[in-house]
Structures are given as C-alpha cells and as structure tokens.
C-alpha cells in the first residue's frame, strides 16, 4: 500500500513541478534564482511524502523524478564556474609529503647556519 501510495503521490509532485516550470522561459532555465523554487518544491514534495509514508528517502522513484527533471529541463545548462575535484591520490600524497620532508631539511639548515655564525664571532 505504501509503495503504491508513494508512486501516486510522486506523480502528483512531478505534475506540480511541470506546472511550475511552465512559467519559466527557455532563457531562464539555467538561472538558479528562477528555477530554485520549482526544483526545491519537487525535492521537498518527494522527501516529505516519503517521510510521511515511512518510505525511505532517497529512493529509486524520487531519484528517477530528479533525473527526469534534469534531462527534460536542465540538460543544456553548463556551469558558469568550473567544479573542482580532488587531485589524484599520488599528486595529493606528493603535495602532503613534500612540505613535511622539507621541514627537517630547513631545521637542519638553520641549526647548521647558526653554528657556523657562532664560529665566526
């Protein structure tokens, strides 16, 4: 009963989202300030009804509607700002180890130079 109810309700959430998106022009489809309300309404509807029906969230049905929204409305949107990802592990490891290995060398250099300075005085 719960799954059938949730399936019916998610369709209603989708229909409401599609109705809200009718007010969005093609030029505005990639503007977050315009599409954030309909998108948030869809997500909120899917999540709150799953919660009310004690149905797990996220779930396959909710994800299907989210993916469907992206495919139908937002597939032509490109990111204005690039998304940065973590570097590969070997590069990350080198970036962490290099400064750590440099510290003993610099400490040794400072001690050596300070001893050398005392010998001259």
């Amino acid at each position: 009963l719960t799954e059938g109810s949730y399936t019916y309700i998610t369709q209603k959430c989708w229909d409401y989202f599609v109705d809200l998106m009718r007010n969005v022009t093609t030029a505005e489809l990639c503007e977050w300030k315009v599409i954030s309300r309909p998108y948030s309404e869809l997500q909120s509807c899917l999540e709150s009804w799953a919660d009310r029906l004690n149905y797990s969230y996220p779930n396959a049905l909710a994800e299907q509607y989210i993916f469907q929204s992206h495919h139908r409305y937002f597939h032509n949107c490109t990111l204005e700002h690039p998304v940065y990802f973590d570097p590969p592990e070997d590069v990350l490891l080198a970036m962490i180890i290099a400064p750590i290995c440099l510290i003993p060398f610099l400490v040794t250099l400072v001690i050596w130079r300070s001893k050398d300075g005392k010998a001259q005085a």
Side-chain angles (χ1 to χ4, degrees):
L1 179 73
T2 302
E3 190 171 339
S5 301
Y6 188 66
T7 302
Y8 174 79
I9 289 169
T10 54
Q11 181 61 50
K12 294 298 174 196
C13 292
W14 174 255
D15 293 342
Y16 180 58
F17 171 73
V18 169
D19 192 49
L20 290 174
M21 290 302 289
R22 283 195 183 101
N23 300 325
V24 179
T25 65
T26 307
E28 296 174 323
L29 279 178
C30 297
E31 291 183 37
W32 179 246
K33 63 180 180 238
V34 176
I35 58 109
S36 64
R37 182 177 167 262
Y39 190 80
S40 296
E41 288 280 342
L42 173 64
Q43 202 165 13
S44 176
C45 184
L46 296 170
E47 187 174 357
S48 64
W49 277 103
D51 193 42
R52 287 180 201 162
L53 296 170
N54 291 324
Y55 200 68
S56 67
Y57 186 89
N59 56 63
L61 193 55
E63 286 181 8
Q64 181 184 331
Y65 280 110
I66 296 294
F67 286 132
Q68 189 173 324
S69 73
H70 284 259
H71 181 73
R72 182 167 172 180
Y73 293 102
F74 315 123
H75 64 280
N76 285 330
C77 297
T78 55
L79 294 172
E80 290 178 20
H81 306 288
V83 175
Y84 297 105
F85 296 100
D86 288 340
E89 276 189 41
D90 52 342
V91 174
L92 190 61
L93 195 60
M95 291 171 67
I96 293 169
I97 290 177
I100 293 171
C101 293
L102 200 57
I103 291 170
F105 171 75
L106 293 173
V107 168
T108 306
L109 185 66
V110 167
I111 293 171
W112 177 69
R113 292 298 289 157
S114 66
K115 285 182 181 179
D116 194 33
K118 287 178 186 174
Q120 289 177 355

